Amino acid sequence: LAAAAAADSDGRTFLTAAAAGYTLVGRLSAPFGPMQPRGWMSAGWWGPGAGAAIAARLRGLDAVGTGNAV
C-alpha cells in the first residue's frame, strides 16, 4: 500500500499490480512444490521478489526495469 500511495495509484492499479505479484509467487514457487512441510514458508522465499514486482508495476517500469527490481 505504501508503494501505491507513493506512486499516487488508484485502487484498480494497485489490485492489478498485486495480482501480478501473486502470479509471480505462484510461478516461482510451482517447481518447488509445497515448502511448508519442509519447514520453510514460501512467502519468505518468494515474497520479496513479488513485492518488488508489485512496486515496479506501480512505478510503470518496463520489463527490464521490473527484472532489475526483482
Short mmCIF file of all heavy atoms in Angstrom, two decimals:
data_model
loop_
_atom_site.label_atom_id
_atom_site.label_comp_id
_atom_site.label_asym_id
_atom_site.label_seq_id
_atom_site.Cartn_x
_atom_site.Cartn_y
_atom_site.Cartn_z
N LEU A 1 0.81 -1.19 0.00
CA LEU A 1 0.00 0.00 0.00
C LEU A 1 0.86 1.26 0.00
O LEU A 1 0.48 2.25 -0.62
CB LEU A 1 -0.93 -0.01 1.21
CG LEU A 1 -2.06 -1.04 1.17
CD1 LEU A 1 -2.82 -1.06 2.48
CD2 LEU A 1 -2.99 -0.79 0.02
N ALA A 2 1.99 1.21 0.68
CA ALA A 2 2.87 2.38 0.71
C ALA A 2 3.41 2.68 -0.69
O ALA A 2 3.49 3.85 -1.08
CB ALA A 2 4.02 2.16 1.68
N ALA A 3 3.75 1.64 -1.44
CA ALA A 3 4.24 1.86 -2.81
C ALA A 3 3.15 2.43 -3.69
O ALA A 3 3.41 3.29 -4.53
CB ALA A 3 4.76 0.55 -3.39
N ALA A 4 1.92 1.98 -3.49
CA ALA A 4 0.79 2.51 -4.26
C ALA A 4 0.56 3.98 -3.92
O ALA A 4 0.32 4.80 -4.82
CB ALA A 4 -0.47 1.71 -4.00
N ALA A 5 0.65 4.32 -2.65
CA ALA A 5 0.47 5.72 -2.25
C ALA A 5 1.59 6.59 -2.80
O ALA A 5 1.35 7.70 -3.28
CB ALA A 5 0.40 5.83 -0.73
N ALA A 6 2.82 6.08 -2.76
CA ALA A 6 3.96 6.84 -3.27
C ALA A 6 3.85 7.07 -4.77
O ALA A 6 4.30 8.10 -5.29
CB ALA A 6 5.27 6.13 -2.94
N ALA A 7 3.25 6.11 -5.48
CA ALA A 7 3.09 6.24 -6.93
C ALA A 7 1.78 6.94 -7.29
O ALA A 7 1.46 7.07 -8.47
CB ALA A 7 3.13 4.86 -7.58
N ASP A 8 1.02 7.37 -6.28
CA ASP A 8 -0.27 8.04 -6.48
C ASP A 8 -1.19 7.18 -7.35
O ASP A 8 -1.82 7.66 -8.28
CB ASP A 8 -0.07 9.42 -7.09
CG ASP A 8 -1.29 10.31 -6.92
OD1 ASP A 8 -2.04 10.09 -5.95
OD2 ASP A 8 -1.51 11.19 -7.77
N SER A 9 -1.25 5.89 -7.01
CA SER A 9 -2.05 4.93 -7.78
C SER A 9 -3.47 4.87 -7.24
O SER A 9 -3.72 5.10 -6.07
CB SER A 9 -1.43 3.54 -7.68
OG SER A 9 -0.15 3.54 -8.25
N ASP A 10 -4.38 4.49 -8.13
CA ASP A 10 -5.76 4.26 -7.69
C ASP A 10 -5.92 2.80 -7.29
O ASP A 10 -4.99 1.99 -7.42
CB ASP A 10 -6.75 4.66 -8.78
CG ASP A 10 -6.57 3.87 -10.08
OD1 ASP A 10 -5.86 2.84 -10.07
OD2 ASP A 10 -7.15 4.28 -11.10
N GLY A 11 -7.09 2.44 -6.81
CA GLY A 11 -7.34 1.09 -6.34
C GLY A 11 -7.21 0.05 -7.42
O GLY A 11 -6.68 -1.04 -7.19
N ARG A 12 -7.70 0.36 -8.61
CA ARG A 12 -7.63 -0.60 -9.72
C ARG A 12 -6.17 -0.90 -10.08
O ARG A 12 -5.80 -2.06 -10.30
CB ARG A 12 -8.39 -0.06 -10.92
CG ARG A 12 -8.40 -1.01 -12.08
CD ARG A 12 -9.10 -0.38 -13.28
NE ARG A 12 -9.12 -1.32 -14.37
CZ ARG A 12 -10.21 -1.77 -14.94
NH1 ARG A 12 -11.38 -1.35 -14.54
NH2 ARG A 12 -10.14 -2.63 -15.92
N THR A 13 -5.35 0.13 -10.15
CA THR A 13 -3.94 -0.06 -10.47
C THR A 13 -3.25 -0.89 -9.40
O THR A 13 -2.46 -1.79 -9.70
CB THR A 13 -3.24 1.30 -10.63
OG1 THR A 13 -3.92 2.05 -11.64
CG2 THR A 13 -1.79 1.14 -11.01
N PHE A 14 -3.57 -0.62 -8.13
CA PHE A 14 -2.98 -1.40 -7.04
C PHE A 14 -3.39 -2.86 -7.14
O PHE A 14 -2.54 -3.75 -7.01
CB PHE A 14 -3.39 -0.83 -5.68
CG PHE A 14 -3.02 -1.74 -4.55
CD1 PHE A 14 -1.70 -1.90 -4.18
CD2 PHE A 14 -3.99 -2.47 -3.89
CE1 PHE A 14 -1.35 -2.76 -3.15
CE2 PHE A 14 -3.65 -3.34 -2.86
CZ PHE A 14 -2.33 -3.48 -2.50
N LEU A 15 -4.67 -3.12 -7.37
CA LEU A 15 -5.13 -4.51 -7.45
C LEU A 15 -4.51 -5.24 -8.64
O LEU A 15 -4.16 -6.42 -8.53
CB LEU A 15 -6.66 -4.57 -7.52
CG LEU A 15 -7.37 -4.19 -6.23
CD1 LEU A 15 -8.88 -4.18 -6.44
CD2 LEU A 15 -6.99 -5.12 -5.10
N THR A 16 -4.34 -4.55 -9.75
CA THR A 16 -3.69 -5.16 -10.92
C THR A 16 -2.24 -5.51 -10.60
O THR A 16 -1.76 -6.60 -10.93
CB THR A 16 -3.75 -4.21 -12.12
OG1 THR A 16 -5.11 -3.93 -12.41
CG2 THR A 16 -3.09 -4.81 -13.34
N ALA A 17 -1.54 -4.59 -9.93
CA ALA A 17 -0.15 -4.85 -9.55
C ALA A 17 -0.06 -5.99 -8.54
O ALA A 17 0.82 -6.85 -8.64
CB ALA A 17 0.48 -3.58 -8.99
N ALA A 18 -0.97 -6.01 -7.58
CA ALA A 18 -0.97 -7.08 -6.58
C ALA A 18 -1.22 -8.44 -7.24
O ALA A 18 -0.59 -9.44 -6.88
CB ALA A 18 -2.01 -6.81 -5.50
N ALA A 19 -2.13 -8.47 -8.20
CA ALA A 19 -2.40 -9.73 -8.91
C ALA A 19 -1.16 -10.19 -9.66
O ALA A 19 -0.85 -11.39 -9.68
CB ALA A 19 -3.57 -9.54 -9.88
N ALA A 20 -0.42 -9.26 -10.25
CA ALA A 20 0.82 -9.62 -10.94
C ALA A 20 1.83 -10.18 -9.94
O ALA A 20 2.53 -11.17 -10.24
CB ALA A 20 1.40 -8.40 -11.65
N GLY A 21 1.91 -9.60 -8.76
CA GLY A 21 2.82 -10.10 -7.74
C GLY A 21 2.46 -11.50 -7.27
O GLY A 21 3.33 -12.36 -7.13
N TYR A 22 1.17 -11.74 -7.04
CA TYR A 22 0.74 -13.08 -6.63
C TYR A 22 0.98 -14.10 -7.74
O TYR A 22 1.35 -15.26 -7.48
CB TYR A 22 -0.74 -13.08 -6.23
CG TYR A 22 -0.95 -12.63 -4.81
CD1 TYR A 22 -1.41 -11.35 -4.52
CD2 TYR A 22 -0.68 -13.48 -3.74
CE1 TYR A 22 -1.60 -10.93 -3.22
CE2 TYR A 22 -0.86 -13.07 -2.43
CZ TYR A 22 -1.32 -11.80 -2.18
OH TYR A 22 -1.50 -11.39 -0.89
N THR A 23 0.81 -13.68 -8.98
CA THR A 23 1.09 -14.57 -10.10
C THR A 23 2.57 -14.94 -10.13
O THR A 23 2.92 -16.10 -10.35
CB THR A 23 0.68 -13.91 -11.43
OG1 THR A 23 -0.72 -13.64 -11.39
CG2 THR A 23 1.00 -14.79 -12.62
N LEU A 24 3.42 -13.96 -9.88
CA LEU A 24 4.86 -14.22 -9.85
C LEU A 24 5.21 -15.21 -8.75
O LEU A 24 5.99 -16.13 -8.98
CB LEU A 24 5.63 -12.91 -9.65
CG LEU A 24 7.14 -13.05 -9.57
CD1 LEU A 24 7.70 -13.57 -10.90
CD2 LEU A 24 7.78 -11.73 -9.20
N VAL A 25 4.62 -15.06 -7.57
CA VAL A 25 4.87 -16.00 -6.48
C VAL A 25 4.49 -17.41 -6.91
O VAL A 25 5.24 -18.36 -6.69
CB VAL A 25 4.09 -15.60 -5.20
CG1 VAL A 25 4.10 -16.73 -4.18
CG2 VAL A 25 4.68 -14.36 -4.60
N GLY A 26 3.33 -17.55 -7.53
CA GLY A 26 2.88 -18.87 -7.98
C GLY A 26 3.81 -19.48 -9.00
O GLY A 26 4.13 -20.68 -8.93
N ARG A 27 4.26 -18.68 -9.93
CA ARG A 27 5.14 -19.21 -10.98
C ARG A 27 6.53 -19.55 -10.46
O ARG A 27 7.15 -20.51 -10.91
CB ARG A 27 5.22 -18.22 -12.14
CG ARG A 27 3.92 -18.17 -12.89
CD ARG A 27 3.99 -17.31 -14.09
NE ARG A 27 2.70 -17.29 -14.76
CZ ARG A 27 2.43 -16.56 -15.82
NH1 ARG A 27 3.37 -15.79 -16.34
NH2 ARG A 27 1.24 -16.59 -16.36
N LEU A 28 7.02 -18.75 -9.52
CA LEU A 28 8.34 -19.04 -8.97
C LEU A 28 8.32 -20.27 -8.07
O LEU A 28 9.26 -21.06 -8.05
CB LEU A 28 8.86 -17.84 -8.17
CG LEU A 28 9.27 -16.61 -8.96
CD1 LEU A 28 9.61 -15.47 -8.01
CD2 LEU A 28 10.44 -16.91 -9.88
N SER A 29 7.25 -20.41 -7.30
CA SER A 29 7.21 -21.48 -6.32
C SER A 29 6.72 -22.82 -6.87
O SER A 29 7.00 -23.86 -6.29
CB SER A 29 6.34 -21.08 -5.13
OG SER A 29 5.00 -20.88 -5.53
N ALA A 30 6.01 -22.82 -7.98
CA ALA A 30 5.42 -24.05 -8.51
C ALA A 30 6.43 -25.18 -8.72
O ALA A 30 6.15 -26.32 -8.34
CB ALA A 30 4.67 -23.76 -9.81
N PRO A 31 7.60 -24.92 -9.28
CA PRO A 31 8.54 -26.03 -9.49
C PRO A 31 9.03 -26.69 -8.19
O PRO A 31 9.49 -27.82 -8.21
CB PRO A 31 9.72 -25.39 -10.23
CG PRO A 31 9.20 -24.13 -10.81
CD PRO A 31 8.10 -23.69 -9.88
N PHE A 32 8.92 -25.97 -7.08
CA PHE A 32 9.43 -26.49 -5.81
C PHE A 32 8.37 -27.21 -4.99
O PHE A 32 8.69 -27.89 -4.02
CB PHE A 32 10.02 -25.35 -4.98
CG PHE A 32 11.22 -24.73 -5.65
CD1 PHE A 32 11.07 -23.62 -6.46
CD2 PHE A 32 12.47 -25.27 -5.49
CE1 PHE A 32 12.17 -23.06 -7.10
CE2 PHE A 32 13.57 -24.72 -6.12
CZ PHE A 32 13.42 -23.61 -6.93
N GLY A 33 7.10 -27.05 -5.35
CA GLY A 33 6.03 -27.69 -4.61
C GLY A 33 5.87 -27.10 -3.22
O GLY A 33 6.45 -26.06 -2.90
N PRO A 34 5.08 -27.76 -2.39
CA PRO A 34 4.86 -27.24 -1.04
C PRO A 34 6.15 -27.18 -0.24
O PRO A 34 6.89 -28.16 -0.16
CB PRO A 34 3.89 -28.24 -0.42
CG PRO A 34 3.27 -28.96 -1.58
CD PRO A 34 4.30 -28.96 -2.66
N MET A 35 6.43 -26.02 0.33
CA MET A 35 7.66 -25.85 1.10
C MET A 35 7.42 -25.94 2.60
O MET A 35 8.34 -26.24 3.35
CB MET A 35 8.30 -24.51 0.75
CG MET A 35 8.75 -24.42 -0.70
SD MET A 35 9.50 -22.84 -1.10
CE MET A 35 11.05 -22.98 -0.24
N GLN A 36 6.20 -25.68 3.03
CA GLN A 36 5.92 -25.66 4.46
C GLN A 36 6.19 -27.00 5.13
O GLN A 36 6.73 -27.02 6.24
CB GLN A 36 4.50 -25.19 4.71
CG GLN A 36 4.29 -24.73 6.13
CD GLN A 36 3.02 -23.92 6.27
OE1 GLN A 36 2.28 -23.75 5.32
NE2 GLN A 36 2.77 -23.43 7.46
N PRO A 37 5.89 -28.15 4.50
CA PRO A 37 6.21 -29.42 5.16
C PRO A 37 7.72 -29.61 5.38
O PRO A 37 8.13 -30.39 6.22
CB PRO A 37 5.67 -30.47 4.19
CG PRO A 37 4.60 -29.78 3.42
CD PRO A 37 5.07 -28.36 3.31
N ARG A 38 8.53 -28.86 4.62
CA ARG A 38 9.98 -28.93 4.77
C ARG A 38 10.51 -27.87 5.74
O ARG A 38 11.71 -27.69 5.88
CB ARG A 38 10.66 -28.77 3.41
CG ARG A 38 10.38 -29.94 2.50
CD ARG A 38 11.09 -29.78 1.18
NE ARG A 38 10.14 -29.23 0.22
CZ ARG A 38 10.46 -28.68 -0.93
NH1 ARG A 38 11.71 -28.59 -1.28
NH2 ARG A 38 9.54 -28.22 -1.73
N GLY A 39 9.57 -27.13 6.37
CA GLY A 39 9.98 -26.15 7.36
C GLY A 39 10.20 -24.75 6.83
O GLY A 39 10.75 -23.90 7.53
N TRP A 40 9.81 -24.47 5.62
CA TRP A 40 10.00 -23.16 5.01
C TRP A 40 8.65 -22.54 4.68
O TRP A 40 7.73 -23.22 4.28
CB TRP A 40 10.80 -23.26 3.72
CG TRP A 40 12.18 -23.79 3.93
CD1 TRP A 40 12.57 -25.08 3.80
CD2 TRP A 40 13.33 -23.06 4.31
NE1 TRP A 40 13.90 -25.20 4.08
CE2 TRP A 40 14.39 -23.96 4.40
CE3 TRP A 40 13.57 -21.72 4.59
CZ2 TRP A 40 15.67 -23.58 4.74
CZ3 TRP A 40 14.86 -21.34 4.94
CH2 TRP A 40 15.89 -22.27 5.01
N MET A 41 8.55 -21.25 4.83
CA MET A 41 7.36 -20.52 4.40
C MET A 41 7.64 -19.94 3.02
O MET A 41 8.63 -19.21 2.84
CB MET A 41 7.01 -19.39 5.38
CG MET A 41 6.53 -19.88 6.73
SD MET A 41 5.00 -20.82 6.64
CE MET A 41 3.87 -19.58 6.08
N SER A 42 6.80 -20.24 2.06
CA SER A 42 7.05 -19.78 0.69
C SER A 42 7.05 -18.26 0.59
O SER A 42 7.78 -17.69 -0.22
CB SER A 42 6.06 -20.39 -0.28
OG SER A 42 4.74 -20.02 0.05
N ALA A 43 6.27 -17.59 1.42
CA ALA A 43 6.25 -16.12 1.37
C ALA A 43 7.62 -15.53 1.71
O ALA A 43 8.01 -14.49 1.18
CB ALA A 43 5.20 -15.57 2.33
N GLY A 44 8.36 -16.19 2.57
CA GLY A 44 9.70 -15.72 2.91
C GLY A 44 10.68 -15.84 1.76
O GLY A 44 11.60 -15.04 1.62
N TRP A 45 10.47 -16.84 0.94
CA TRP A 45 11.35 -17.05 -0.22
C TRP A 45 10.93 -16.21 -1.41
O TRP A 45 11.77 -15.61 -2.09
CB TRP A 45 11.33 -18.52 -0.65
CG TRP A 45 12.19 -19.37 0.22
CD1 TRP A 45 11.81 -20.06 1.33
CD2 TRP A 45 13.59 -19.60 0.06
NE1 TRP A 45 12.87 -20.70 1.87
CE2 TRP A 45 13.99 -20.45 1.10
CE3 TRP A 45 14.53 -19.18 -0.87
CZ2 TRP A 45 15.29 -20.87 1.25
CZ3 TRP A 45 15.84 -19.61 -0.73
CH2 TRP A 45 16.21 -20.45 0.33
N TRP A 46 9.65 -16.20 -1.71
CA TRP A 46 9.17 -15.58 -2.95
C TRP A 46 8.53 -14.21 -2.74
O TRP A 46 8.34 -13.47 -3.69
CB TRP A 46 8.19 -16.50 -3.65
CG TRP A 46 8.69 -17.91 -3.71
CD1 TRP A 46 8.13 -19.00 -3.12
CD2 TRP A 46 9.86 -18.39 -4.38
NE1 TRP A 46 8.88 -20.12 -3.37
CE2 TRP A 46 9.96 -19.78 -4.15
CE3 TRP A 46 10.85 -17.78 -5.14
CZ2 TRP A 46 10.99 -20.56 -4.66
CZ3 TRP A 46 11.89 -18.56 -5.64
CH2 TRP A 46 11.94 -19.93 -5.40
N GLY A 47 8.21 -13.87 -1.50
CA GLY A 47 7.55 -12.60 -1.22
C GLY A 47 8.35 -11.35 -1.59
O GLY A 47 7.79 -10.42 -2.17
N PRO A 48 9.66 -11.29 -1.28
CA PRO A 48 10.41 -10.09 -1.63
C PRO A 48 10.43 -9.80 -3.13
O PRO A 48 10.28 -8.65 -3.56
CB PRO A 48 11.82 -10.38 -1.11
CG PRO A 48 11.58 -11.32 0.04
CD PRO A 48 10.43 -12.20 -0.42
N GLY A 49 10.61 -10.83 -3.94
CA GLY A 49 10.58 -10.62 -5.39
C GLY A 49 9.21 -10.18 -5.87
O GLY A 49 9.09 -9.32 -6.76
N ALA A 50 8.16 -10.76 -5.28
CA ALA A 50 6.81 -10.37 -5.65
C ALA A 50 6.54 -8.93 -5.25
O ALA A 50 5.94 -8.16 -6.01
CB ALA A 50 5.79 -11.29 -4.99
N GLY A 51 7.01 -8.53 -4.08
CA GLY A 51 6.85 -7.14 -3.65
C GLY A 51 7.58 -6.18 -4.58
O GLY A 51 7.06 -5.11 -4.90
N ALA A 52 8.76 -6.57 -5.01
CA ALA A 52 9.50 -5.73 -5.96
C ALA A 52 8.76 -5.63 -7.29
O ALA A 52 8.72 -4.56 -7.91
CB ALA A 52 10.90 -6.31 -6.18
N ALA A 53 8.17 -6.73 -7.74
CA ALA A 53 7.41 -6.71 -8.99
C ALA A 53 6.18 -5.82 -8.86
O ALA A 53 5.84 -5.08 -9.79
CB ALA A 53 6.99 -8.12 -9.38
N ILE A 54 5.51 -5.86 -7.71
CA ILE A 54 4.36 -5.00 -7.48
C ILE A 54 4.78 -3.54 -7.52
O ILE A 54 4.16 -2.72 -8.21
CB ILE A 54 3.68 -5.35 -6.14
CG1 ILE A 54 3.03 -6.73 -6.22
CG2 ILE A 54 2.66 -4.29 -5.76
CD1 ILE A 54 2.57 -7.26 -4.89
N ALA A 55 5.83 -3.19 -6.80
CA ALA A 55 6.31 -1.81 -6.79
C ALA A 55 6.75 -1.36 -8.17
O ALA A 55 6.48 -0.22 -8.58
CB ALA A 55 7.45 -1.66 -5.79
N ALA A 56 7.40 -2.24 -8.92
CA ALA A 56 7.84 -1.89 -10.27
C ALA A 56 6.65 -1.62 -11.18
O ALA A 56 6.66 -0.67 -11.97
CB ALA A 56 8.70 -3.02 -10.84
N ARG A 57 5.62 -2.42 -11.04
CA ARG A 57 4.41 -2.22 -11.86
C ARG A 57 3.73 -0.89 -11.49
O ARG A 57 3.28 -0.16 -12.37
CB ARG A 57 3.46 -3.37 -11.69
CG ARG A 57 2.19 -3.19 -12.47
CD ARG A 57 1.73 -4.47 -13.04
NE ARG A 57 0.57 -4.25 -13.87
CZ ARG A 57 0.28 -4.95 -14.91
NH1 ARG A 57 1.08 -5.93 -15.26
NH2 ARG A 57 -0.77 -4.71 -15.62
N LEU A 58 3.68 -0.60 -10.21
CA LEU A 58 3.08 0.66 -9.77
C LEU A 58 3.86 1.86 -10.27
O LEU A 58 3.29 2.91 -10.54
CB LEU A 58 2.98 0.70 -8.25
CG LEU A 58 1.96 -0.26 -7.62
CD1 LEU A 58 2.13 -0.30 -6.12
CD2 LEU A 58 0.54 0.15 -8.00
N ARG A 59 5.15 1.70 -10.39
CA ARG A 59 6.02 2.78 -10.89
C ARG A 59 6.05 2.85 -12.42
O ARG A 59 6.65 3.74 -12.98
CB ARG A 59 7.44 2.61 -10.38
CG ARG A 59 7.59 2.81 -8.91
CD ARG A 59 7.40 4.25 -8.60
NE ARG A 59 7.59 4.49 -7.18
CZ ARG A 59 7.54 5.68 -6.65
NH1 ARG A 59 7.31 6.72 -7.40
NH2 ARG A 59 7.70 5.83 -5.36
N GLY A 60 5.43 1.87 -13.07
CA GLY A 60 5.37 1.88 -14.53
C GLY A 60 6.66 1.46 -15.20
O GLY A 60 6.93 1.87 -16.33
N LEU A 61 7.46 0.65 -14.52
CA LEU A 61 8.72 0.19 -15.12
C LEU A 61 8.45 -0.79 -16.25
O LEU A 61 7.47 -1.54 -16.22
CB LEU A 61 9.60 -0.47 -14.07
CG LEU A 61 10.05 0.41 -12.90
CD1 LEU A 61 10.94 -0.39 -11.96
CD2 LEU A 61 10.76 1.65 -13.38
N ASP A 62 9.33 -0.82 -17.22
CA ASP A 62 9.22 -1.79 -18.31
C ASP A 62 9.74 -3.14 -17.84
O ASP A 62 10.09 -3.31 -16.68
CB ASP A 62 9.96 -1.30 -19.56
CG ASP A 62 11.46 -1.11 -19.33
OD1 ASP A 62 11.99 -1.49 -18.26
OD2 ASP A 62 12.12 -0.59 -20.24
N ALA A 63 9.78 -4.10 -18.76
CA ALA A 63 10.18 -5.47 -18.39
C ALA A 63 11.60 -5.52 -17.84
O ALA A 63 11.87 -6.22 -16.87
CB ALA A 63 10.04 -6.40 -19.59
N VAL A 64 12.51 -4.77 -18.43
CA VAL A 64 13.90 -4.76 -17.97
C VAL A 64 13.98 -4.14 -16.58
O VAL A 64 14.63 -4.67 -15.68
CB VAL A 64 14.81 -4.01 -18.98
CG1 VAL A 64 16.21 -3.84 -18.41
CG2 VAL A 64 14.86 -4.76 -20.30
N GLY A 65 13.30 -3.03 -16.37
CA GLY A 65 13.30 -2.38 -15.07
C GLY A 65 12.68 -3.27 -14.00
O GLY A 65 13.15 -3.33 -12.87
N THR A 66 11.62 -3.97 -14.37
CA THR A 66 10.98 -4.88 -13.43
C THR A 66 11.92 -6.03 -13.08
O THR A 66 12.07 -6.39 -11.92
CB THR A 66 9.66 -5.43 -14.00
OG1 THR A 66 8.77 -4.35 -14.24
CG2 THR A 66 9.00 -6.42 -13.05
N GLY A 67 12.58 -6.60 -14.08
CA GLY A 67 13.56 -7.66 -13.83
C GLY A 67 14.68 -7.19 -12.93
O GLY A 67 15.11 -7.90 -12.03
N ASN A 68 15.13 -5.97 -13.13
CA ASN A 68 16.19 -5.42 -12.27
C ASN A 68 15.68 -5.22 -10.84
O ASN A 68 16.42 -5.45 -9.89
CB ASN A 68 16.71 -4.12 -12.83
CG ASN A 68 17.52 -4.30 -14.09
OD1 ASN A 68 18.09 -5.36 -14.32
ND2 ASN A 68 17.58 -3.28 -14.92
N ALA A 69 14.44 -4.80 -10.70
CA ALA A 69 13.86 -4.59 -9.36
C ALA A 69 13.74 -5.91 -8.62
O ALA A 69 14.03 -6.00 -7.44
CB ALA A 69 12.50 -3.92 -9.47
N VAL A 70 13.30 -6.95 -9.34
CA VAL A 70 13.13 -8.27 -8.72
C VAL A 70 14.49 -8.83 -8.39
O VAL A 70 14.73 -9.34 -7.34
CB VAL A 70 12.34 -9.22 -9.63
CG1 VAL A 70 12.34 -10.63 -9.10
CG2 VAL A 70 10.92 -8.71 -9.80
#
